Structures are given as C-alpha cells and as structure tokens.
C-alpha cells in the first residue's frame, strides 16, 4: 500500500475503521480545478458548465429525488434489469473479483451487485469512485448493512479515480458504470473515456455499463422536465455551488430550467436560460460574466443510443461483448464486456 501512497501524493488517506477507508485529493486541487474549468467554460462563446459539477451534496440529494419521480423511467427500469441480471451475472465472475463503481451516489443500485458478490465471497471489496462527499455517508451505511463488506472510496473525478485504481494492486475488477451517466459525454469524449477505462483494465477484468436507449420524444422530454420542478432545482443548484465555493453572485431567480430532445443528435439538451440581461461576478475564477436576455448556458447532454450503436462503440474502443440485458420495453440496456 505504501507504493500506492507514494505514487498518489496528491491524495490524503482517511481510515474510518478496519472496514472503511477512503482517499481524497487535497482540497486545493479540487477547488483549483473547479475554478479553472468554470472560468474556461463560461468564457466560451457557447457558454457551458460541466455536468460533473452537479453532484455536490445537495445536487446528489436532488438527483436521488429525481430518480423517484414518475416521469423519470431510467432508474426504476435499470433496477428491474439488475434484478434479472442477479441470476445471470455469477456465471461471469469468480471469488477473485472486487466491485469498482463509477459515480456511486447513494449506492442504491449497488446493493443489487453486492448481493451477487455476497453469494460468491466471504469478503467483498468495493471501490466507489465519486466526486461527491455523499460517498462517505453511503459507504458507512453499506458497511452497517453488510458484515463482510470492505470499502475503499476514492473521492475524485472518474479519470482521477481510474488512474488511482490502475496503480493500486493486481486484483481483478468488475467496473460498473450504472445509470445513464455515459450519455453526458459527447460521442468523441465518450469514446475517449471508454479508452481510458480500457487502459485501466487488466486481462480478465469486466466492465458493466448502463445506457439509455432511443425512444419516443415525449417520454424523454418528460423525464428531464418533471411537473414537480425537481429537475429544474437540480439544474439551478450548480449555480448555487458556484456561489458557495467560488464566491459567485448568481441570482437564481434570474434563470430558468430549459430542456429539449434533439432527435437528429439523439440527445436531451439541458440549459440554464437567463431571463434578463445581467452581469455575474465569480471572484475565484477571475470572471465577470455578461449575459443577454434568453442567453443559454449549457449544462448537460444526455445521449440516447440504439443497440447497434452501443455494440459498435464498445467494439471500436477495444472491448469484447459478453452479454446485453434489456427491460421488456427496451427502454434501457446493461452491457457486460471485457478487454479483447
């Protein structure tokens, strides 16, 4: 373990007890990255904020509320598939695997994977990678609920966590990327991210990815603009985060949630719309932001896929298809691959 610490000097190790530890980059590193990225993205002609910054503590809590909304089908659909997958996944595993999860959130769906491992192993190792501090809370609850679970959390970006994992040890990993978070990437960035995962994996490792499928426009648009306004609150919260962490003076009442489905591009597009001409100061990003009335700040794409596109994409990134699971409506997919 000492070699890992030497290779990852920018991380600080926190030991909670014999079953729970986590690594976190020094706070200055996180703040600098956030400040620099916000400065760059809001200075662009087409202004945007990366969706990875949605998930501070409040943002993660709001997303959990979104997952329970009647319009938001992805979570309950994926849970249905995971329950079916529980019977079939063990045939691809043995007792030498650990679970690695990208974007663990509150780990609700993770329990369905842990339950599979509980039948195979006396000691289960789980490595959640999440940029949000909610990782520590959810990990403590999981430890409480599973006697034979040992958790090493990594509070960092996916890329940072994967690089950390690459140098950690030689144990086989089942890397899971549940939800439809991969859809947030542009096609080119998504391909590069798959290559990053591929480069992290050892021979024999497995990768399980959840992807949302193309479907009727009205189903998609309702899922990202719910009648209760929770998605709007989630979208606006990223401005609150900039205010709290970077000293910004965004007035949230001057912005509206705006989302549409772009059929040709097969993606939901989510924006914050400025309801008036205004100026915003973000001191820690050294930024004065001038916005016109109705000007848009892009916050998220959520790309949807056809099955043929999923298989081609994974093949191009160097993966070998093991199995794809679908729900009965073919709304969502879970695909298991290994390195070629």
């Amino acid at each position: 373990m000492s070699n890992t610490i030497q290779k990852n000097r920018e991380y600080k190790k926190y030991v909670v007890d014999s079953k729970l530890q986590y690594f976190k980059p020094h706070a200055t590193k996180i703040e600098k990255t956030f400040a620099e990225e916000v400065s760059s993205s809001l200075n662009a002609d087409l202004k945007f904020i990366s969706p990875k910054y949605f998930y501070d503590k409040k943002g993660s809590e709001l997303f959990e509320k979104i997952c329970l909304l009647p319009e938001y089908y992805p979570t309950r659909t994926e849970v249905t598939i995971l329950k079916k997958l529980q019977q079939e996944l063990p045939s691809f595993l043995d007792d030498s695997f650990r679970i690695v999860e990208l974007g663990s959130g509150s780990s609700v769906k993770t329990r369905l994977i842990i339950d599979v491992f509980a039948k195979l192993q006396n000691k289960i190792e789980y490595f959640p990678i999440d940029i949000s501090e909610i990782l520590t809370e959810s990990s403590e609850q999981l430890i409480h609920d599973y006697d034979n679970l040992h958790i090493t959390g990594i509070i960092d970006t996916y890329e940072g966590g994967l690089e950390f994992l690459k140098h950690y040890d030689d144990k086989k990993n089942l890397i899971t990327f549940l939800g439809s978070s991969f859809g947030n990437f542009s096609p080119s960035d998504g391909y590069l991210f798959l290559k990053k995962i591929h480069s992290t994996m050892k021979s024999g490792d497995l990768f399980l990815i959840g992807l949302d499928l193309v479907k009727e426009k009205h189903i998609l648009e309702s899922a990202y603009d719910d009648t209760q306004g929770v998605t709007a609150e989630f979208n606006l919260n990223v401005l609150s985060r900039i205010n709290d962490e970077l000293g910004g003076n965004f007035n949230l009442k001057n912005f509206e949630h705006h989302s549409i489905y772009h059929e040709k591009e097969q993606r939901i597009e989510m924006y914050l719309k400025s309801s008036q001409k205004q100026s915003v100061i973000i001191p820690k990003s050294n930024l004065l932001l001038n916005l016109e009335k109705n000007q848009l700040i892009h916050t998220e794409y959520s790309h949807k896929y056809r099955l043929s596109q999923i298989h081609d994409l994974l093949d191009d990134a160097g993966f070998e298809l093991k199995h794809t699971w679908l729900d009965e409506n073919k709304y969502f997919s879970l695909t298991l691959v290994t390195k070629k």
Side-chain angles (χ1 to χ4, degrees), residues 202-232:
K202 302 176 292 295
S203 177
D205 282 359
L206 293 168
F207 174 43
L208 180 67
I209 183 169
L211 289 164
D212 200 7
L213 302 177
V214 171
K215 59 188 68 65
E216 292 90 340
K217 182 177 181 178
H218 72 94
I219 295 173
L220 288 164
E221 291 193 334
S222 295
Y224 292 85
D225 193 9
D226 64 280
T227 55
Q228 297 178 45
V230 183
T231 312

Side-chain angles (χ1 to χ4, degrees), residues 69-108:
L69 294 168
E71 299 98 328
Y72 195 76
Y73 63 85
T75 300
R76 62 177 176 270
T77 304
E78 187 176 27
V79 166
T80 300
I81 302 171
L82 282 166
K83 287 178 178 176
K84 181 169 66 173
L85 175 150
Q86 280 186 308
Q87 307 303 316
E88 301 176 28
L89 187 60
S91 65
F92 298 97
L93 299 170
D94 57 46
D95 61 5
S96 65
F97 277 87
R98 75 156 66 92
I99 308 165
V100 176
E101 184 172 21
L102 303 175
S104 64
S106 64
S107 302
V108 173

Side-chain angles (χ1 to χ4, degrees), residues 42-54:
L42 290 180
N43 255 324
D45 292 337
L46 298 174
K47 302 186 184 308
F48 69 97
I49 301 169
S50 172
K52 68 185 176 186
Y53 293 118
F54 279 139

